[in-house]
Each structure stands twice: as C-alpha cells, then as structure tokens.
Amino acid sequence: MKDTKKVVNFALFLIFVLVVIAIAERIGYQSFALGSFKIGLLPLVFAILITMLLGIKLCRKGILKRVYSEFNVNFAGKYLIFIMLPLMARYGADVAPKIREILSVGWVFIIQEIGNLGTVLIGLPIAILIGLKREAIGATLGIGREGELAYISEKYTLDSDEGRGVLSLYIIGTLFGTIIFSILAPLLLGLGFSVEALAMSSGVGSASMMTAASSALVAQVPEKAETIRAYASASQLLTSFLGTYTMVFLAVPLQRFMYNKMMKRGSK
C-alpha cells in the first residue's frame, strides 16, 4: 500500500513537471526595462518561480502535498545530475566549431579559475561574522555545486555541520542562482562589459546558472549567439575540470588556514 502511494505520488510529480514546463514555455522569453537597462527573463526562470511559489507550506495542500512529498523531493535532488548530462553533451557540440577562437584566448579561461577562490576570500569572513562555525566550511568552499558537494560528502558526510553548510548553499544556488544570473548578465552588458567576457564568466560550474546567463546574453545579442554559447560552454567545461583541482589544492588549504586564524582570533 505504501509503495503504491509512492508510485501514484511520483506519477503526479511527473505530470506536474510537464505542466510547469508547458506553462513556462507558453510564457516564453520576457524582457523589461530597468532604467536604461533591459533585463531578460527566460522560461527557465518562470519554471523555477512557479515551483518555488507552489512549494511553500501555505500552498502544499491536496495534490500539491503529494507532488512535494519527501520521496519526490529527494528523488529530484538526487538525480538532478542525470538530467544535466544531455546539456554536457551539448557543451561539447557548441565548443567544437569555435575551438580555434577559444584556444587563441585559452589562457584567459585558465586564469579565471582563480576566481573560484573568491568564495573563500570573501564568503568565509562574512559567514563567520554572521555566526556560522563549521557550517561555513561547507558553505564557502565554492558555489556549492556537485564538486563541492562530493568533496564535503566524502570528507565530512552530509549529516555533519559542514555537510549542512554545503547542502544549504546547493539549495539556495538552485533556487536563486539561475534568477540572479539571468538578470546580472544583461545588466553588466548594459554597463559596457564585453559580451565575450560575460559569456566566459557565466561558466562558474553550475549548468543552470551558465544556461541562464548565456541565454540571456543571446537574447540581447543574437548575432553573436554561436560565440556566446561556445565561450560559455568552454568556460563551464574548464570550470568543471580545473575547478576540482583549484578547490582541492588551493581553496581547501586557504580555507583551513583562514578558518583556524579567524576562529582563534574570535575566541580571544
């Protein structure tokens, strides 16, 4: 009986996902003016907003309570990476036609990986300042994507304070990161930043954030759509690969050093 209920709830969950996708696609790409800037919102953003609003406790009644069951929520988080695999294949297809152009500025892609240390240098002091302790280690090691999640899970387990920190950041990034990136990219473009530079910087290690930022840029500069997708995809691939080594050999030792120093100073 319990298994039957799970199957029914999961079927409702799949129907719910298809309905949300249909609604988001029906809304389509929307843009609005913010002063002298033009902000674009993708269907992906509307899909996230719809699922966020319907997922709050006040709305989770009747069928929605069954859709947002603990099993369905855990399933969605656990198998998110498999949904991203076709997107990873698409990255390779986007990079290939522009490979010579990308290699000509390859050193820029490598140098930008140092930016992964920003979460430690800036985020760790702020996290400790607002009262986080061991949770700060998981929350500031990176942007809380799969690489950081795997590292913290193996070293501390997800039931630890560090694990709760990285899980919290993963959820926050999933809920709000896509929305922020889809707004930030065209906003910086309006301020005069190069579209190529913004395309590179959109590959921070999160497939959803990269897609949101690059798609928003394509909507603003459609004549450079191939270049934007190629630069963003190459950046994302390098971040996924080199970012792991940056995390293990640079971010982890730096974070450990800063954390110990700051905690000792705070205890005096």
Side-chain angles (χ1 to χ4, degrees):
M1 183 70 181
K2 193 174 182 180
D3 289 339
T4 303
K5 189 176 180 181
K6 279 186 178 180
V7 171
V8 173
N9 287 348
F10 187 68
L12 290 171
F13 168 70
L14 293 178
I15 294 170
F16 172 77
V17 169
L18 292 174
V19 170
V20 169
I21 291 172
I23 293 172
E25 288 296 331
R26 180 67 178 171
I27 295 171
Y29 175 83
Q30 300 292 328
S31 62
F32 63 93
L34 185 64
S36 58
F37 304 111
K38 190 177 181 182
I39 306 299
L41 296 178
L42 303 168
L44 177 63
V45 175
F46 294 112
I48 292 173
L49 286 173
I50 291 169
T51 51
M52 281 175 58
L53 290 173
L54 294 179
I56 61 177
K57 193 173 182 180
L58 186 65
C59 296
R60 288 202 315 266
K61 297 176 181 178
I63 292 178
L64 284 179
K65 187 175 181 180
R66 300 176 70 178
V67 167
Y68 286 90
S69 68
E70 186 178 353
F71 174 81
N72 288 342
V73 171
N74 290 337
F75 177 89
K78 185 177 180 181
Y79 293 102
L80 179 65
I81 185 64
F82 292 103
I83 299 171
M84 295 300 178
L85 290 177
L87 188 60
M88 296 296 287
R90 171 67 186 273
Y91 292 165
D94 286 336
V95 170
K98 294 281 184 177
I99 191 66
R100 287 190 177 181
E101 185 179 338
I102 290 168
L103 288 175
S104 68
V105 292
W107 62 273
V108 177
F109 285 101
I110 294 173
I111 287 177
Q112 80 161 11
E113 295 307 314
I114 299 173
N116 288 333
L117 299 178
T119 55
V120 176
L121 293 171
I122 300 173
L124 183 62
I126 294 174
I128 293 175
L129 186 65
I130 63 175
L132 296 183
K133 296 195 179 340
R134 301 294 298 181
E135 296 89 346
I137 294 175
T140 63
L141 185 57
I143 62 168
R145 296 298 95 191
E146 285 73 21
E148 291 82 20
L149 198 65
Y151 178 85
I152 294 295
S153 176
E154 289 295 319
K155 188 171 179 63
Y156 302 102
T157 78
L158 293 180
D159 290 329
S160 62
D161 291 336
E162 293 85 352
R164 282 187 282 275
V166 73
L167 274 175
S168 298
L169 195 69
Y170 185 85
I171 293 168
I172 290 170
T174 301
L175 292 177
F176 301 106
T178 305
I179 298 171
I180 292 171
F181 267 56
S182 66
I183 295 173
L184 190 61
L187 189 64
L188 292 174
L189 183 66
L191 288 172
F193 283 82
S194 161
V195 68
E196 290 83 2
L198 291 172
M200 284 186 208
S201 62
S202 67
V204 295
S206 167
S208 57
M209 294 180 200
M210 186 281 292
T211 303
S214 59
S215 298
L217 290 172
V218 167
Q220 297 288 320
V221 193
E223 65 274 14
K224 289 191 175 183
E226 286 189 15
T227 299
I228 292 169
R229 292 195 186 101
Y231 276 46
S233 299
S235 177
Q236 178 71 10
L237 285 172
L238 277 172
T239 299
S240 299
F241 176 67
L242 294 178
T244 302
Y245 294 97
T246 303
M247 174 185 68
V248 173
F249 295 111
L250 294 177
V252 170
L254 177 62
Q255 187 190 57
R256 186 179 297 120
F257 173 78
M258 288 179 61
Y259 181 83
N260 291 336
K261 286 288 185 182
M262 294 181 74
M263 294 306 291
K264 282 181 180 178
R265 185 177 299 176
S267 62
K268 290 181 179 179

